[in-house]
Amino acid sequence: MTRPTLVLVAHGTRSTRGVDMVAALADRVSAQVGTTRVAFVDVLGPSPAEVLRDLPGSAVVVPAFLASGYHVHTDVPREVADSAHPQVHVTPALGPDPVLARVLLERLREAGWRDGDAVVLAAAGSSDRRALADVRRAAAMLAELTGDRVEIGYVATAEPRVPDVVRRIRETGGRRVFVASYLLAHGLFHRRLEESGADGVAEPLGVHPDLVGLLVERYRSGSSSAMPSSGVAGSMTARA
């Protein structure tokens, strides 16, 4: 039986560097699982529905999002339904996950963070309470690794904003402050972090071997769960 095609769904960005990173990530995953297609829910195409309409056989859709908000709960299932593809399994989003916490810590150390330095987890932001809860879980996972409290700041939509959190930490503690970029790729949001006033800003998660492994695990789990049907099969709930 032919393996399902992996459809990697990302947000989309006008940053060429960000688009290239998503493509590189898909290439790395493809080397392990076979045919992998990329789709975007915003900014640029192709959309998930457009990709799925062109696919023969079954598909596993992996939402490459670090928290499950509107895009995961609404956009992705709508796109799958609009495609009318008969054999699609949608996996949980990538985050939060302990694997991502370990990558975040590695990125922080690369940026010069040391034990005792303050950490601000910088997320894109969302008006969806479920996504904000996921970010809090991600911060807790990172805090377990740093051994210290991890504050949360948002780039857009939600409060508090990253520069405000950095400023507050400086005023109350006097420690060096580092920003952990809870973003998948480079783009406008990451560029804004460079202006946050922090002592250092970690790189986005990017094409890290552990992130590739997490995507492969999501795909393989979805493949084993997928069954031919006349509709959408799958879970839209992030891993507990």
Side-chain angles (χ1 to χ4, degrees), residues 96-108 121 137-146 182 205 214:
D97 194 283
V99 169
L100 300 181
R102 292 194 294 271
V103 177
L104 284 169
L105 182 61
E106 182 176 329
R107 295 289 188 237
L108 279 169
L121 181 72
R137 289 176 58 209
M141 291 176 184
L142 181 57
E144 289 183 4
L145 299 180
T146 64
Y182 196 50
L205 293 167
L214 182 59

Side-chain angles (χ1 to χ4, degrees), residues 30-229:
S30 178
Q32 297 189 46
V33 306
T35 303
T36 300
R37 298 283 302 276
V38 174
F40 300 97
V41 295
D42 201 0
V43 182
L44 70 164
S47 69
E50 290 170 334
V51 170
L52 288 168
R53 288 189 193 110
D54 290 339
L55 290 184
S58 58
V60 174
V61 171
V62 180
F65 292 88
L66 307 180
S68 295
Y70 183 85
H71 291 309
V72 172
H73 291 289
T74 302
D75 283 340
V76 171
R78 184 189 65 242
E79 289 281 340
V80 173
D82 287 349
S83 75
H85 195 295
Q87 298 179 27
V88 180
H89 182 87
V90 181
T91 77
L94 288 183
D97 194 283
V99 169
L100 300 181
R102 292 194 294 271
V103 177
L104 284 169
L105 182 61
E106 182 176 329
R107 295 289 188 237
L108 279 169
R109 292 195 185 281
E110 292 169 351
W113 177 88
R114 299 190 299 268
D115 291 347
D117 294 335
V119 174
V120 179
L121 181 72
S126 174
S127 59
D128 191 309
R129 290 178 296 176
R130 294 167 294 188
L132 300 183
D134 281 350
V135 173
R136 290 194 294 271
R137 289 176 58 209
M141 291 176 184
L142 181 57
E144 289 183 4
L145 299 180
T146 64
D148 199 355
R149 179 180 176 84
V150 170
E151 302 289 344
I152 297 172
Y154 296 99
V155 183
T157 309
E159 298 285 345
R161 297 300 172 90
V162 176
D164 295 332
V165 178
V166 171
R167 187 180 310 111
R168 173 168 53 81
I169 294 174
R170 288 198 184 284
E171 291 172 350
T172 59
R175 295 187 292 169
R176 295 201 310 166
V177 184
F178 283 77
V179 172
S181 180
Y182 196 50
L183 301 169
L184 190 63
H186 282 273
L188 174 62
F189 282 0
H190 186 77
R191 289 198 298 273
R192 289 180 180 175
L193 299 182
E194 301 292 345
E195 304 170 355
S196 65
D199 293 284
V201 177
E203 287 289 294
L205 293 167
V207 186
H208 190 282
D210 290 349
L211 179 56
V212 172
L214 182 59
L215 281 164
V216 170
E217 186 276 332
R218 287 284 192 271
Y219 168 80
R220 288 176 175 163
S221 177
S223 296
S224 64
S225 301
M227 294 184 297
S229 67

